[in-house]
Amino acid sequence: MLEITDTNKFGKVVADALSKVELTVTDAKTKTRWINAISKATAEIEQNGDFMTWMEADKSLLIWSQKSNNIYAANGVCQCRAFEQGSPCFHRAAARLIRLYMETENVPVKVKAEEIPYIKQNVQIKAERVAGIRIN
Ligand SMILES: [Zn+2]
């Protein structure tokens, strides 16, 4: 069973994967296929995580396909028909997304203002000198 507990992180992994395809895959047909595979993988992970198991030892994702009743062990390779035909499949896309999700460190989303150097703290503007007009 696989459950995405940090949906923000997962969303970022998916966005990164899509932009990587956009930037690195030059063949339009292959690009479309990978984007479809990533989209399907994202939906499958979110909806059918109960039928997936992440195998940390060999970094593969076991996916029980309810459609074919086969279990696929996907990492760079897969055992499904699409892979046999040399096409991108959502199993491999899902395995990659989960691997990246597992490897991505938890980065806090909120940053405190005092940690941002370009925001000066405690800047006080004297009201009476704003734009040279005395306002109080
Ligand atoms: Zn596959």
Side-chain angles (χ1 to χ4, degrees):
M1 172 168 172
L2 189 79
E3 193 188 353
I4 300 297
T5 50
D6 188 341
T7 50
N8 282 334
K9 184 166 92 168
F10 185 64
K12 194 180 177 309
V13 165
V14 172
D16 285 352
L18 288 170
S19 69
K20 195 174 177 204
V21 168
E22 195 60 47
L23 292 171
T24 59
V25 181
T26 48
D27 178 60
K29 210 168 163 184
T30 309
K31 184 182 278 188
T32 304
R33 283 179 172 174
W34 271 121
I35 287 168
N36 289 342
I38 291 167
S39 306
K40 177 146 195 233
T42 305
E44 289 286 329
I45 289 165
E46 285 171 349
Q47 290 156 25
N48 294 318
D50 287 355
F51 305 104
M52 297 178 186
T53 305
W54 174 247
M55 307 298 283
E56 184 61 39
D58 60 356
K59 311 270 180 205
S60 68
L61 185 67
L62 297 184
I63 302 168
W64 174 30
S65 166
Q66 296 138 277
K67 208 161 133 190
S68 68
N69 202 29
N70 287 322
I71 293 172
Y72 302 117
N75 44 31
V77 295
C78 193
Q79 300 80 42
C80 71
R81 284 190 59 156
F83 181 75
E84 273 175 29
Q85 292 163 1
S87 296
C89 63
F90 90 85
H91 312 112
R92 280 198 292 159
R96 185 177 155 77
L97 291 177
I98 295 300
R99 182 171 62 78
L100 292 171
Y101 175 79
M102 296 296 187
E103 286 173 357
T104 305
E105 298 216 8
N106 289 306
V107 179
V109 176
K110 286 180 183 168
V111 180
K112 289 179 187 169
E114 59 263 32
E115 291 169 3
I116 304 173
Y118 53 83
I119 295 179
K120 287 183 184 169
Q121 299 298 307
N122 303 319
V123 176
Q124 291 180 348
I125 300 166
K126 288 180 184 170
E128 66 271 20
R129 293 181 61 188
V130 172
I133 301 166
R134 191 181 170 89
I135 53 175
N136 64 352

